[in-house]
Amino acid sequence: MNAMIFAAGLGTRLAPLTNTRPKALVEIDDKPLLRYAIENFVAGGATRIVINVHHFAEQIKEYIADNKYIWPRVEFVISDESELLLDTGGGLANALQYFANDGPIAIGNADVLSNAPIGKLYAEHVKSGRDATLVTRKRNSTRQLLFDEHNRLCGWTNKTTGEVKMPRKADNLHESAFCGFHVINQSVVRDMLPIRPFPIIDAYLCRAAKFDIGEIDLGAEYYWYDVGTVEKLQIATEFLNSNR
């Protein structure tokens, strides 16, 4: 299975923890967030994991070099964005060159702590025949994706500002919040070229009318935490400690 972990962000919301290290190496119980993400993808069947880097890039490179022996069946590739931070969409487009076959790519973020069933999600994507599948959850979020009755992406709305983007017109829409996990066919990534900085959600919305982009609900039985701020990191830490 092809996989990618986004780890290039500046981590400004996690300051001062990220003043001297990348957010992917911020720890919970002496274990970096990046390791939690890798373990989840490996458990789901990932055999090649591309990790993009920018902020304190050398530290992540050293961490992978020193620890890849833990996962001897996994090939790790670094997609270096040291010269220019490409955001999530541009980072994925840049990483396309590192995938050896044309299979779908399972994607996650280093600053999301979850036991999302990567293997199951990947299999469901392949079975569905969709071009891309976004993992969602019914949760409070300022930004909500809009899907039709066939769980096909149609638009996006900001609940605070009232802004709406609707590239695919449909009735009977429902709202779901993106969880940061997705599976995408490489044909869709090729359509995102040329490489330049852009967010992945904008790329999906621009292609909602052209490609079949669907959703899978994560389900309440799986935990999911955005650990992008110091406060949210503490909440996730307390959850893990209480469920050991």
Side-chain angles (χ1 to χ4, degrees):
M1 177 198 298
N2 291 315
M4 181 172 184
I5 298 174
F6 291 133
L10 298 176
T12 53
R13 296 183 303 153
L14 273 172
L17 298 177
T18 50
N19 289 347
T20 57
R21 57 183 164 177
K23 66 178 178 180
L25 295 186
V26 170
E27 297 178 338
I28 292 180
D29 293 342
D30 299 320
K31 183 171 159 180
L33 295 174
L34 180 58
R35 179 156 179 172
Y36 285 100
I38 291 172
E39 288 177 344
N40 196 34
F41 274 91
V42 172
T47 53
R48 172 178 284 229
I49 300 178
V50 175
I51 301 170
N52 69 336
V53 296
H54 174 81
H55 186 56
F56 293 112
E58 292 304 318
Q59 291 186 32
I60 296 180
K61 293 177 184 179
E62 291 173 6
Y63 179 82
I64 295 300
D66 292 343
N67 293 276
K68 62 183 179 181
Y69 72 91
I70 300 172
W71 306 282
R73 298 182 180 179
V74 179
E75 181 179 8
F76 290 94
V77 181
I78 297 295
S79 181
D80 197 330
E81 300 176 20
S82 295
E83 294 186 3
L84 177 64
L85 184 59
L86 293 169
D87 209 326
T88 49
L92 175 58
N94 185 60
L96 181 62
Q97 61 188 302
Y98 300 118
F99 294 104
N101 60 58
D102 201 39
I105 305 166
I107 304 168
N109 297 314
D111 61 354
V112 168
L113 186 70
S114 177
N115 62 344
I118 302 299
K120 178 181 178 181
L121 298 169
Y122 187 93
E124 286 294 320
H125 166 78
V126 173
K127 181 180 178 181
S128 72
R130 292 189 187 275
D131 297 306
T133 303
L134 313 184
V135 180
T136 62
R137 174 172 257 173
K138 300 294 186 294
R139 60 181 177 86
N140 292 329
S141 176
T142 300
R143 295 164 293 182
Q144 296 281 335
L145 296 175
L146 304 174
F147 295 88
D148 66 17
E149 56 189 349
H150 302 292
N151 296 323
R152 189 166 181 172
L153 180 65
C154 294
W156 171 95
T157 182
N158 186 311
K159 306 296 287 186
T160 300
T161 66
E163 180 185 4
V164 176
K165 299 177 182 178
M166 191 64 63
R168 174 182 288 276
K169 303 299 181 182
D171 298 321
N172 302 318
L173 297 173
H174 65 269
E175 299 178 352
S176 296
F178 183 45
C179 287
F181 294 101
H182 38 134
V183 185
I184 184 170
N185 293 348
Q186 293 190 36
S187 57
V188 184
V189 184
R190 285 192 289 271
D191 194 70
M192 297 178 184
L193 298 172
I195 299 167
R196 76 277 182 204
F198 62 92
I200 191 64
I201 287 298
D202 285 0
Y204 280 135
L205 289 169
C206 288
R207 289 161 180 80
K210 179 178 180 180
F211 291 99
D212 185 356
I213 302 171
E215 70 165 336
I216 295 179
D217 189 278
L218 180 59
E221 66 269 33
Y222 300 101
Y223 66 79
W224 182 92
Y225 288 91
D226 170 4
V227 290
T229 69
V230 174
E231 294 77 16
K232 291 178 179 179
L233 183 71
Q234 182 59 38
I235 292 171
T237 300
E238 293 172 356
F239 168 80
L240 287 183
N241 288 337
S242 66
N243 285 273
R244 295 208 179 276

